[in-house]
């Protein structure tokens, strides 16, 4: 399978704990995105990388959130001191931005439940 | 303030008929629009896109229409099939903006046999 993969698929944690999610994009894609989706809503943009550079962060990305993409390959999203409001599906997407626009391909998501 | 709106939370269509899903947007800077389909427990799957320089794009059973003056787009599925039952999201972006997509809340399409 050469699609976008995410790990873990599900995470249950207690409030105040730190969690880290991993995303492996489609191998030749240079752009990687993180989104968050809550029940009844569409995905909301959090941040994106072009290669290893983080180029944009949404105001939704509080100081407790940090994302990295070392060497421009896989990416991690860490949430520190989790809160119940962080419970959501965290989606990763990738695209190949050569020229013009390119559609984003999504992974299956990591569902986070904060107790 | 929601910049991409899908005002129908659900839509029921008989198999073989046309499904029409609607989407409105408020940000006149948007110039690229996409439709995604999502099954439960899976990530969204890209269906079709359209640039603002066009008013129609077709791919098999799927056609997207864009009316820039009305800030409205629609997705037509003809003929509708049982496998089309899913949540459909409209998304938009604009050159020079954040590269992330702005999504609507989705429409749950149910194809009845």
């Amino acid at each position: 399978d050469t699609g976008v993969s995410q790990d873990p698929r599900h995470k249950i944690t207690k409030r105040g704990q730190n969690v880290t999610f991993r995303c492996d994009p489609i191998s030749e894609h240079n752009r990687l995105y993180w989104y968050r989706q809550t029940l009844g809503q569409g995905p909301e943009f959090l941040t994106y990388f072009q290669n290893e550079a983080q180029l944009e962060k949404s105001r939704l990305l509080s100081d407790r959130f940090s994302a990295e993409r070392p060497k421009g390959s896989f990416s991690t999203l860490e949430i520190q001191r989790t809160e119940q409001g962080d419970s959501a599906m965290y989606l990763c997407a990738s695209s190949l931005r050569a020229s013009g626009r390119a559609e984003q391909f999504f992974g299956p998501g990591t569902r986070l439940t904060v107790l | 303030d929601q910049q991409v709106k899908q005002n129908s939370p659900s839509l029921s269509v008989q198999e073989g008929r046309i499904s029409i899903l609607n989407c409105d947007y408020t940000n006149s800077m948007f110039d690229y629009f996409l439709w995604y389909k999502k099954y439960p427990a899976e990530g969204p799957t890209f269906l079709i896109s359209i640039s603002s320089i066009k008013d129609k794009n077709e791919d098999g059973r799927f056609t997207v229409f864009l009316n820039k003056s009305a800030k409205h787009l629609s997705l037509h599925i003809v003929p509708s099939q049982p496998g089309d039952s899913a949540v459909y999201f409209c998304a938009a972006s604009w050159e020079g903006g954040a590269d992330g997509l702005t999504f609507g809340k989705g429409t749950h399409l149910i194809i009845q046999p």
Side-chain angles (χ1 to χ4, degrees):
Chain A
D1 185 11
T2 57
V4 178
S5 62
Q6 293 186 245
D7 184 70
R9 294 291 305 275
H10 303 274
K11 179 70 178 178
I12 300 174
T13 191
K14 292 183 179 178
R15 188 177 53 183
Q17 298 294 304
N18 298 346
V19 293
T20 301
F21 310 140
R22 176 180 171 124
C23 170
D24 287 272
I26 294 171
S27 58
E28 65 269 23
H29 284 185
N30 57 351
R31 291 203 168 190
L32 186 148
Y33 308 80
W34 285 100
Y35 291 83
R36 180 178 71 184
Q37 185 177 17
T38 53
L39 196 62
Q41 304 294 317
E44 296 172 294
F45 169 70
L46 293 177
T47 187
Y48 88 95
F49 293 82
Q50 177 158 314
N51 300 313
E52 66 276 6
Q54 188 173 16
L55 296 186
E56 189 77 31
K57 289 190 213 180
S58 160
R59 56 185 168 81
L60 293 175
L61 210 66
S62 77
D63 291 344
R64 296 184 296 105
F65 288 68
S66 62
E68 294 182 344
R69 192 183 182 196
K71 302 179 183 178
S73 55
F74 71 92
S75 175
T76 57
L77 178 68
E78 181 183 17
I79 309 175
Q80 295 183 327
R81 304 181 304 281
T82 53
E83 301 173 356
Q84 287 185 325
D86 297 331
S87 295
M89 175 75 82
Y90 289 84
L91 293 162
C92 175
S94 69
S95 72
L96 179 60
R97 179 75 178 261
S99 62
R101 301 299 182 86
E103 60 268 21
Q104 296 177 21
F105 294 87
F106 283 81
T110 294
R111 179 166 294 285
L112 172 66
T113 302
V114 181
L115 301 176
Chain B
D1 178 33
Q2 199 158 15
Q3 298 185 66
V4 177
K5 300 178 184 179
Q6 294 178 257
N7 292 320
S8 298
S10 66
L11 175 67
S12 184
V13 174
Q14 200 165 10
E15 181 179 356
R17 302 280 185 135
I18 183 171
S19 295
I20 300 176
L21 296 99
N22 293 304
C23 177
D24 297 292
Y25 61 96
T26 58
N27 187 342
S28 57
M29 300 294 289
F30 287 143
D31 60 0
Y32 185 61
F33 304 89
L34 309 91
W35 284 93
Y36 282 84
K37 173 181 178 180
K38 187 179 183 303
Y39 294 120
E42 295 183 11
T45 301
F46 170 75
L47 274 179
I48 192 168
S49 62
I50 187 166
S51 165
S52 60
I53 62 173
K54 295 184 176 181
D55 54 18
K56 177 183 174 181
N57 189 25
E58 193 171 354
D59 183 2
R61 296 186 299 114
F62 302 92
T63 303
V64 55
F65 296 91
L66 175 62
N67 182 334
K68 290 188 291 293
S69 61
K71 294 192 180 69
H72 177 82
L73 62 155
S74 60
L75 174 68
H76 293 211
I77 307 173
V78 183
S80 300
Q81 299 175 353
D84 296 331
S85 294
V87 178
Y88 289 78
F89 291 99
C90 172
S93 69
W94 58 284
E95 191 74 39
D99 206 48
L101 299 173
T102 301
F103 282 84
K105 291 187 177 184
T107 296
H108 184 193
L109 176 64
I110 301 162
I111 305 301
Q112 295 183 334

